[in-house]
Amino acid sequence: MRLPGAGLAKGLAVTMRTMTKRSVTDQYPDVKPELPPRSRGVIALLEENCTVCMLCARECPDWCIYIDSHKETIPAPEGGRERQRNVLDRFAIDFSLCMYCGICIEACPFDALFWSPEFEYAEFDIRNMTHEKERLGQWMSTVPPPPAVDGRAERPKELDAARKAMEKAAAPAAPPAAPVEAAE
Amino acid sequence: MSVVEVLFVLLGIVAVGSALLVVTTNQLVHAALWLVVCLGSVAGCYLLLSAEFVAWVQVLIYVGAVVVLLLFGLMLTRAPIGASTDLDAGLGQRAVAALTAGGLAGIVITALVDAFSGERIDLGGDVSTGSSASAGSALFRGWVLPFEVLSLLLLAALVGAIVLSRRDVGVEPEAADGGPT
Amino acid sequence: MPLLMPLLVAALLFSIGAYGVLVRRNAILVLMSVELMLNAVNLNLVAFDVWLRDALLSGQVFTLFVITIAAAEVGLGLAIVLLVFRNRETSQLDLLTELREEPSDPAGVGTAAR
Amino acid sequence: MTTVLEVALRIVLVLGVFLVLPLLVGQTEHKAMAHMQSRLGPMYAGGFHGWAQLIADGVKFAQKEDIVPAGADRAVFKLAPAVALLPYLIVLVAIPVGPGLVAQDLDAGLFFVLAVMAVGVLGALMAGWASANKFSLLGGLRSAAQLMSYELPFLLAAASVAMAAGTLSLPAIVGAWQPWWLIWQLPGAVVFFVAGLAELQRPPFDMPVADSEIIFGAFTEYTGLRFALFLLAEYAGIVVLCALTTVLFLGGWHGPFADQLGWLWTLLKTMVLAFVVIWLRVSYPRLRADQLQRLAWQGLVPVALAQLALTGVVVVVT
């Protein structure tokens, strides 16, 4: 049988026990938080990988990615024909609109967008929250390396494919060692 | 005039003045707040008359309970902020009332002055007349029966107030009649 | 202290309370005026008690009784006022005339018409 | 001349205590509540663990604009904080700290204290009505309803001690106190403390100022210093309630070396009780209106009456 008031005493005991324990608060500006590598702080842009496919801008639920580009014609190599290529003029993310869903990063087929755990980019003016491509490029240095593959996981298919390609390239030219190195 | 007398005159003026404001102000809640001032100064008068126990009972019951109850009632009956125009009766009734009250004051004061002018209250010497000990012994030795009767009256008032303010007390038989259909 | 001092204050308070009861239309204000009159009586009781040096302290004891009764009276009075307000949406005393007799009709026309 | 000087000295002393102890309680509340919730609380103001946080708060309040709502009843609105605060200041005068250490020894001290504390209610009512705000009015009405129902067990429990000691004077009550009263008067002590908490509108009895329902009850429209006065009234109320409970039920200055260290014992017991007030605030959720009334009328009043009967029997028998 439960004593009357046992619940009340239990409540008091919980708070008293919590008080005698160390608190878990981090004093933020003095102690930087240890963020997990996959934290969603800010979105970084690797400009070289971007092909202006516009997938990110189209998938963005709140339309906060602005992309301008123009086409450039690459002069035809010998015997070939001319090719066209997109050149990025402007890539901007308005972080005052962004809701950090990460759909743009998922959607990017060329690995041009990355999550960075950096979060200290508050501004006094809302207009300054729009980060142009230079700023987005600077965030790249804060992107953590991808997490190591789990020890017993299946080997990534990319590695197998790369090794097979290398073996195939190396197999016919096995006796002469020098050309292989030259080919690489 | 001694210090006590000067204080009493001042408190009396405050009491009468605030009482006048209670009956003449045209803002409902202000009337209740002036009543607090009036009752408080009457409590001060009791203190000066060496009736200490009565004074604190006055503060406890009147200011702490009665006025709070009155304010509660005023707020529940939607007392507006600012002046209300319909608090007083018409001019004719007001004149008659003033005449009646003035006449009453005149007659009573004349009678009092005639009967008691020159009499003095002796406040010196024995100061224990109004202490809680003497009030307690008077209450529970000489006045036990009235006290008990009073407690019965309070009980009746309590039951009455509950019956009045509960909506379901009087309705029940009708509901029982109409219930099965 | 002259006995007249408390007595005069009490007489004035009582008259003011009487004026309030006669003049006010709001039920709660009337209750307040009644409180004023009760206080005047209490002041009288205490003053006479101290003046007479009563061994039984009857004045002060009666003051306590009156204060108690006043509290009960206000409690009941407010319950009634709130009930009336709930049913009639008003606490103006002169509008609560439903139980009043019809004003006498000299010609007798009013009753005949009904 | 010396008596005038002495009275002035006593009043200055009481005023000092009145200003220091609530701050102390407030700071304790900041820190204890924070740690009970696994936080740190204020850490910067004043350097060491934010000891000057409340002083900084006071400075901030003083700098704020003093706003009176356009539709408010100006005089009543401005007067309300003073009416809420002053009673507690006056009550402190009658509370004994050590043997013979009391600002004013009153014959009906207990009665005086209870009567004056009852006046403090008016402050919340005036504030609630005069703010011209429906949330304020609701808060004022809730305060009034709560205070009316908890006044009764509060007084009954206090009456039990007065009956046991055979006097209404606070120093005499402490003088008559015996250690076994701790058990004899325990139900009364609990009722007194809980009812007092409810009168102060402290959590878990903070329905009149329930911020998730009616913003801040009667104090919604207040800003700056006037708001600070209401807060000060709350903390002064805690000090007064804890000191009163100490004096009435915990034996005031009784303890080892009572002759020299009596005042320390009173202060210590008061602060421990103040900690309990904070502890209860952190531990329990807010009571609903019906639970509040049920606790008062079906819980506290019967217990207080039973305690009164028990006290009567024991006093007559011994």
Side-chain angles (χ1 to χ4, degrees):
Chain A
M1 187 198 145
R2 279 180 64 235
L3 283 170
L8 297 179
K10 212 168 167 184
L12 288 177
V14 167
T15 40
M16 184 47 91
R17 214 176 312 129
T18 314
M19 195 179 84
T20 50
K21 282 188 197 142
R22 281 195 75 79
S23 68
V24 293
T25 312
D26 285 334
Q27 290 291 85
Y28 157 62
D30 299 338
V31 182
K32 295 287 179 191
E34 277 181 35
L35 293 169
R38 293 177 66 184
S39 303
R40 299 179 167 196
V42 70
I43 294 168
L45 170 72
L46 187 60
E47 209 186 321
E48 293 79 31
N49 279 2
C50 181
T51 61
V52 203
C53 65
M54 302 290 283
L55 278 178
C56 51
R58 249 183 286 167
E59 291 296 323
C60 180
D62 35 17
W63 295 68
C64 67
I65 301 180
Y66 310 109
I67 299 176
D68 290 337
S69 68
H70 66 269
K71 281 213 162 89
E72 256 176 24
T73 311
I74 302 172
E78 219 167 313
R81 60 185 172 94
E82 287 184 342
R83 286 185 158 214
Q84 282 193 325
R85 173 172 84 104
N86 286 324
V87 177
L88 192 62
D89 291 331
R90 177 175 187 234
F91 191 102
I93 299 179
D94 189 348
F95 282 107
S96 61
L97 293 178
C98 177
M99 61 180 192
Y100 301 89
C101 62
I103 288 177
C104 51
I105 295 164
E106 308 262 326
C108 181
F110 301 106
D111 276 356
L113 293 171
F114 295 91
W115 275 121
S116 156
E118 207 59 35
F119 60 94
E120 293 170 311
Y121 50 94
E123 297 283 354
F124 287 102
D125 192 331
I126 197 169
R127 285 168 292 190
N128 297 338
M129 291 297 286
T130 307
H131 291 191
E132 295 297 335
K133 69 178 186 217
E134 291 75 27
R135 186 97 192 266
L136 291 171
Q138 282 163 14
W139 292 123
M140 264 322 281
S141 61
T142 63
V143 173
V149 180
D150 196 45
R152 299 172 63 183
E154 206 181 311
R155 281 170 56 81
K157 293 198 174 67
E158 291 90 341
L159 280 181
D160 285 341
R163 206 188 52 207
K164 263 182 200 160
M166 221 154 80
E167 281 168 0
K168 205 182 262 177
V180 176
E181 280 178 17
E184 280 181 20
Chain B
M1 285 218 306
S2 67
V3 181
V4 174
E5 287 169 29
V6 173
L7 277 176
F8 193 94
V9 168
L10 288 178
L11 278 175
I13 290 170
V14 172
V16 171
S18 49
L20 267 176
L21 283 165
V22 171
V23 295
T24 53
T25 179
N26 52 10
Q27 302 195 28
L28 272 169
V29 172
H30 284 198
L33 295 176
W34 283 119
L35 187 67
V36 173
V37 177
C38 179
L39 298 175
S41 43
V42 171
C45 291
Y46 293 157
L47 269 185
L48 292 179
L49 287 171
S50 79
E52 197 188 333
F53 188 72
V54 177
W56 299 131
V57 171
Q58 165 101 356
V59 175
L60 185 67
I61 304 291
Y62 264 117
V63 182
V66 169
V67 173
V68 172
L69 214 57
L70 283 171
L71 276 172
F72 198 59
L74 281 180
M75 288 181 189
L76 280 180
T77 53
R78 310 204 189 120
I81 288 178
S84 318
T85 47
D86 55 350
L87 294 184
D88 284 337
L91 207 64
Q93 189 176 343
R94 228 183 298 176
V96 175
L99 214 65
T100 315
L104 181 69
I107 293 169
V108 171
I109 288 174
T110 322
L112 286 175
V113 170
D114 187 42
F116 296 112
S117 69
E119 298 283 359
R120 293 187 67 81
I121 300 175
D122 178 24
L123 285 173
D126 176 25
V127 274
S128 71
T129 60
S131 75
S132 46
S134 56
S137 64
L139 200 57
F140 292 110
R141 290 217 176 96
W143 301 97
V144 178
L145 191 63
F147 185 80
E148 293 300 329
V149 172
L150 196 68
S151 65
L152 215 64
L153 177 90
L154 276 183
L155 187 66
L158 188 72
V159 173
I162 291 172
V163 169
L164 276 178
S165 49
R166 278 193 70 147
R167 287 169 200 231
D168 51 352
V169 170
V171 185
E172 256 169 339
E174 291 173 31
D177 288 345
T181 53
Chain C
M1 185 193 300
L3 176 59
L4 266 180
M5 272 189 193
L7 296 191
L8 286 184
V9 172
L12 285 172
L13 277 181
F14 191 88
S15 314
I16 292 168
Y19 172 79
V21 169
L22 292 175
V23 156
R24 292 301 203 181
R25 294 171 70 205
N26 186 304
I28 298 177
L29 285 175
V30 172
L31 275 180
M32 286 185 202
S33 306
V34 173
E35 295 305 319
L36 282 181
M37 293 164 77
L38 283 172
N39 261 278
V41 174
N42 284 351
L43 194 55
N44 251 1
L45 282 172
V46 171
F48 277 120
D49 176 272
V50 178
W51 178 56
L52 288 171
R53 306 213 143 268
D54 184 8
L56 275 176
L57 285 182
S58 33
Q60 294 190 26
V61 170
F62 264 84
T63 307
L64 295 179
F65 287 175
V66 170
I67 289 177
T68 320
I69 291 171
E73 168 239 324
V74 165
L76 271 179
L78 272 179
I80 294 171
V81 170
L82 289 182
L83 198 65
V84 167
F85 186 81
R86 206 152 65 197
N87 291 331
R88 307 274 158 80
E89 287 289 310
T90 182
S91 50
Q92 303 283 10
L93 287 175
D94 50 2
L95 296 181
L96 306 171
T97 53
E98 216 151 86
L99 291 177
R100 180 177 66 175
E101 277 181 34
E102 287 298 317
S104 58
D105 203 348
V109 183
T111 41
R114 279 181 207 134
Chain D
M1 196 60 219
T2 44
T3 52
V4 172
L5 207 67
E6 199 186 323
V7 166
L9 197 72
R10 280 168 183 229
I11 286 172
V12 167
L13 211 67
V14 167
L15 203 67
V17 167
F18 185 71
L19 288 178
V20 171
L21 279 186
L23 286 183
L24 213 60
V25 173
Q27 185 65 17
T28 316
E29 173 161 43
H30 272 157
K31 298 307 273 188
M33 190 158 83
H35 282 281
M36 282 179 177
Q37 295 167 337
S38 213
R39 298 184 285 119
L40 287 173
M43 286 298 279
Y44 292 103
F48 179 73
H49 283 264
W51 65 270
Q53 182 62 42
L54 282 169
I55 299 165
D57 281 349
V59 173
K60 182 194 77 177
F61 277 131
Q63 288 169 338
K64 289 209 165 186
E65 186 185 355
D66 182 22
I67 298 171
V68 181
D73 191 310
R74 298 186 75 86
V76 178
F77 185 85
K78 288 182 170 176
L79 202 64
V83 175
L85 182 61
L86 270 181
Y88 293 118
L89 176 60
I90 296 171
V91 161
L92 273 190
V93 167
I95 292 179
V97 180
L101 210 66
V102 56
Q104 188 63 50
D105 183 8
L106 290 164
D107 167 53
L110 181 59
F111 231 89
F112 165 79
V113 166
L114 297 175
V116 175
M117 272 176 87
V119 178
V121 190
L122 280 179
L125 268 179
M126 286 164 70
W129 176 78
S131 295
N133 177 322
K134 64 186 98 170
F135 295 112
S136 300
L137 187 60
L138 273 176
L141 284 175
R142 284 185 179 190
S143 306
Q146 180 169 332
L147 292 160
M148 294 300 280
S149 38
Y150 279 89
E151 188 81 13
L152 188 62
F154 193 65
L155 291 182
L156 286 175
S160 155
V161 185
M163 210 153 109
T167 172
L168 283 174
S169 153
L170 290 173
I173 288 177
V174 182
W177 186 82
Q178 309 281 334
W180 64 279
W181 287 24
L182 272 180
I183 296 164
W184 178 30
Q185 298 291 343
L186 183 66
V190 172
V191 168
F192 186 84
F193 194 63
V194 171
L197 270 187
E199 296 225 336
L200 293 178
Q201 302 170 12
R202 287 283 302 176
F205 304 103
D206 61 339
M207 196 192 58
V209 293
D211 49 358
S212 46
E213 301 166 21
I214 48 173
I215 308 175
F216 205 53
F219 316 133
T220 301
E221 294 287 355
Y222 281 86
T223 54
L225 266 184
R226 290 182 207 285
F227 183 71
L229 287 184
F230 274 121
L231 282 189
L232 185 61
E234 182 180 339
Y235 287 98
I238 295 176
V239 172
V240 166
L241 171 71
C242 294
L244 260 184
T245 314
T246 304
V247 166
L248 293 179
F249 294 97
L250 301 182
W253 61 75
H254 287 287
F257 308 108
D259 292 336
Q260 293 89 39
L261 294 176
W263 58 275
L264 200 63
W265 281 112
T266 311
L267 279 184
L268 197 70
K269 289 171 183 173
T270 306
M271 289 320 281
V272 167
L273 279 177
F275 176 77
V276 172
V277 171
I278 297 163
W279 193 10
L280 291 174
R281 168 183 182 169
V282 183
S283 300
Y284 298 139
R286 181 183 302 136
L287 268 74
R288 247 177 10 233
D290 59 325
Q291 294 169 332
L292 207 74
Q293 299 293 340
R294 185 171 304 139
L295 177 65
W297 293 104
Q298 297 186 356
L300 297 183
V301 169
V303 172
L305 286 173
Q307 167 74 68
L308 212 56
L310 175 72
T311 309
V313 169
V314 173
V315 166
V316 170
V317 167
T318 53

